[in-house]
Amino acid sequence: MPHRSSVPLAWRRFEARYRLVGNRCANCGTVYFPPKAICPKCRRKGKLEKCQLKGEGKVYSYTIIHAAPSGFEKRVPYCIAIIELDEGPRVMGEVVGDLALLDIGARVRAVFRKIYEDGEDGIIHYGLKWELV
Amino acid sequence: MKLDGKVGIVGYGCYVPMYRIKVEEIASVWGEDASRIKNGLLVEEKAIAGDDEDTATIAVEAARNAIKRASIAPEQIGAIYVGSESHPYVVKPTATIVGEALGVGNDYTAADLEFACKAGTAGIQMCLGLVKAGMIDYGLAIGADTAQGAPGDALEYTAASGGAAFVIGRKDVLAKVLATASFSSDTPDFWRRPFQHYPRHAARFTGAPAYFRHVGGAVNFLLEEMGMKANEFDHVVFHMPNGKFPLRMAKMLGIEKDKLENGFVVSKVGNTYSGSSLLGLCATLDKAKPGELILLASFGSGAGSDAFAIEVTELIEEKRELAPTFEYYLNRKVYVSYARYAKMRGKLKE
């Protein structure tokens, strides 16, 4: 995975990754996550403002990973899903908790978790996962 | 250490990971008699962090609950102290990860604390001091751990994961901290040297000269300062390395056993180290009524104890509902085998 060991790149994304801060276009009301540089609907008329998302939503679609990329081998089998947030945007992330409850439309909430470690001596990458409720 | 009776707990929150392992499961691996261990330690099962959880993630989840109850903006926090003996980094603070995850901004002081199982209560004392001095409006003190016992060691039956967080302030307090007192001495009852994965302990030496002398000492200092007797408190929480020690401590101080009941979290979650007495305080605040008095005393090996006299206010009823209770986390559980536990907690080496 490219950039995985880039400390500055990870650091620039802490706000979005730790706290689910997206943005919202004041012109059309669309909420974006991850935050966008311009509103693709309104273009130059758009006015993007920071927007704190609540961290609640539902499973839009999911898959179970059995053959994991390097660094995630110990977690197999695990669930990667597209989560439809209550504010509208869809985000991809891991679903955790009691996977017996896993289904399309199942409610989830954001929880703070360790995503991966950059080896034994690199930084620890934290972020949000989605716990079934 | 006298306070002005106005500073106290504005918000509290706990977090316990969902995975549990039963004493029977651990005992079966080491060929021990589970019922003898359960009767001796008064522990039935313990909580363990998943492989994607550590002290930082536990601290963040607990702190989010504490802030919900405090009903303040994270930017109002002026200090963050995280007490733990299992910080994810040796060099690099957990406290700033918590600050970033909560959105505290940059205008705050922070440090990680370590004092075996009592670093969380030391953080509370530091926040009480800063708030009382008028240096900050709100401070966040957290005790969290992902404690580990060496495979086959007696500690393995109790060393657990969990944490609790407290917002300390002087406006809208749900529980006033009336006074606090500490008892500290150089007593090497339990330690972990650099680069060692598991701690070592001096077995029975952890009892009389360590736990009982320090917890008893801190409580007596506190009672002296308050001019009170131990049995005047409605609820009592002591650090819970197992179930036996806090019960014996209560008996020695002339406290009825049922006063420990609400905060007796050890039998179902184990010893969460820096989180232990603080999880007990959360569970007690979940049930306490306005006007009731709580006696809290932590214990940290090495050794020290911090005791607190806490008075619950009217605000407890409305604030309690604002975040999940200890009972919510207690009932949210999935049992795992010893093999899965060993994999999750990094006990398997390649």
Side-chain angles (χ1 to χ4, degrees):
Chain A
M1 195 183 287
H3 309 307
R4 209 201 248 186
S5 57
S6 164
V7 172
L9 186 64
W11 175 76
R12 279 199 288 275
R13 293 176 179 170
F14 279 172
E15 190 175 59
R17 284 186 176 170
Y18 285 16
R19 275 186 278 138
L20 211 65
V21 176
N23 54 17
R24 182 180 173 278
C25 176
N27 192 41
C28 69
T30 311
V31 176
Y32 298 101
F33 186 89
K36 285 198 184 293
I38 61 155
C39 174
K41 288 185 185 167
C42 305
R43 300 283 181 166
R44 71 181 62 173
K45 281 186 199 156
K47 190 168 176 276
L48 288 169
E49 298 164 342
K50 267 191 187 180
C51 170
Q52 175 64 60
L53 303 173
K54 271 194 317 185
E56 288 173 22
K58 61 183 181 186
V59 175
Y60 178 78
S61 185
Y62 69 88
T63 184
I64 304 293
I65 308 285
H66 293 276
S70 66
F72 296 84
E73 299 90 340
K74 284 184 184 165
R75 289 199 62 76
V76 294
Y78 61 92
C79 171
I80 294 293
I82 296 170
I83 307 298
E84 189 169 283
L85 300 174
D86 290 348
E87 292 90 347
R90 288 177 191 156
V91 300
M92 199 169 332
E94 185 179 338
V95 174
V96 293
D98 185 0
L99 291 186
L101 302 170
L102 180 62
D103 202 358
I104 303 286
R107 295 289 302 171
V108 289
R109 66 176 183 94
V111 289
F112 192 72
R113 291 285 192 275
K114 194 158 71 175
I115 307 296
Y116 63 90
E117 294 176 15
D118 189 12
E120 292 232 318
D121 57 357
I123 66 164
I124 304 168
H125 294 258
Y126 294 97
L128 299 175
K129 292 190 180 180
W130 300 91
E131 183 173 307
L132 292 154
V133 287
Chain B
M1 287 179 261
K2 274 220 170 105
L3 292 160
D4 57 11
K6 290 176 186 155
V7 180
I9 300 165
V10 177
Y12 70 95
C14 71
Y15 179 79
V16 180
M18 72 190 304
Y19 301 103
R20 301 284 187 283
I21 188 163
K22 292 188 174 186
V23 163
E24 284 87 349
E25 178 70 13
I26 301 173
S28 71
V29 172
W30 304 109
E32 299 213 47
D33 178 358
S35 59
R36 193 181 62 81
I37 290 161
K38 280 162 77 174
N39 292 336
L41 298 175
L42 304 178
V43 172
E44 291 167 36
E45 57 196 48
K46 66 167 187 173
I48 43 183
D51 58 6
D52 59 351
E53 294 181 288
D54 62 19
T55 292
T57 67
I58 290 170
V60 168
E61 293 289 321
R64 282 187 174 159
N65 287 335
I67 286 177
K68 277 184 203 160
R69 284 202 176 94
S71 307
I72 60 167
E75 294 89 346
Q76 290 175 270
I77 290 169
I80 302 178
Y81 297 111
V82 182
S84 180
E85 59 136 71
S86 49
H87 289 290
Y89 290 90
V90 176
V91 178
K92 153 99 190 71
T94 307
T96 54
I97 300 171
V98 173
E100 182 65 40
L102 298 176
V104 172
N106 305 108
D107 185 8
Y108 69 103
T109 178
D112 285 3
L113 309 175
E114 189 279 319
F115 195 146
C117 300
K118 89 153 189 84
T121 54
I124 292 180
Q125 288 180 329
M126 291 163 76
C127 287
L128 288 169
L130 290 170
V131 171
K132 190 192 166 201
M135 292 169 72
I136 58 170
D137 292 330
Y138 297 100
L140 176 64
I142 304 169
D145 258 307
T146 53
Q148 294 250 44
D153 189 290
L155 276 182
E156 206 182 13
Y157 293 102
T158 54
S161 306
F166 294 84
V167 176
I168 304 296
R170 60 163 66 244
K171 194 167 170 275
D172 297 335
V173 296
L174 60 85
K176 292 186 264 189
V177 180
L178 304 175
T180 176
S182 297
F183 187 109
S184 312
S185 84
D186 182 7
T187 305
D189 59 315
F190 175 105
W191 61 91
R192 181 161 65 86
R193 298 281 306 275
F195 311 111
Q196 295 298 308
H197 195 56
Y198 299 110
R200 282 191 54 194
H201 55 88
R204 291 175 69 87
F205 187 69
T206 57
Y211 182 90
F212 296 105
R213 177 170 177 240
H214 291 78
V215 175
V219 170
N220 284 328
F221 283 159
L222 183 81
L223 297 176
E224 233 170 76
E225 196 166 301
M226 303 275 301
M228 284 179 71
K229 291 198 173 74
N231 58 15
E232 288 178 58
F233 288 88
D234 301 289
H235 306 278
V236 177
V237 182
F238 293 140
H239 172 57
M240 291 159 271
N242 51 53
K244 190 172 59 176
F245 276 25
L247 290 177
R248 193 187 299 164
M249 188 77 257
K251 201 173 171 188
M252 286 162 75
L253 290 164
I255 295 165
E256 296 101 336
K257 194 178 159 187
D258 59 351
K259 290 192 173 170
L260 274 71
E261 198 183 316
N262 287 329
F264 202 74
V265 300
V266 65
S267 55
K268 297 285 186 187
V269 301
N271 174 12
T272 54
Y273 283 50
S274 301
S276 174
S277 57
L278 294 180
L279 271 180
L281 178 60
C282 286
T284 304
L285 288 170
D286 284 343
K287 300 275 170 68
K289 296 184 187 73
E292 287 188 327
L293 292 175
I294 302 171
L295 170 63
L296 165 73
S298 62
F299 173 70
S301 289
S305 171
D306 303 323
F308 299 82
I310 297 165
E311 185 188 332
V312 181
T313 74
E314 306 278 327
L315 283 174
I316 188 74
E317 312 274 9
E318 58 181 270
K319 290 204 176 192
R320 183 181 286 152
E321 309 302 323
L322 301 177
T325 59
F326 171 75
E327 205 165 285
Y328 164 81
Y329 286 108
L330 190 64
N331 296 330
R332 165 186 166 275
K333 62 182 171 184
V334 170
Y335 287 105
V336 297
S337 63
Y338 190 91
R340 192 158 169 225
Y341 156 69
K343 179 185 159 197
M344 279 162 63
R345 300 308 309 139
K347 287 170 184 276
L348 299 174
K349 293 285 166 206
E350 283 151 15

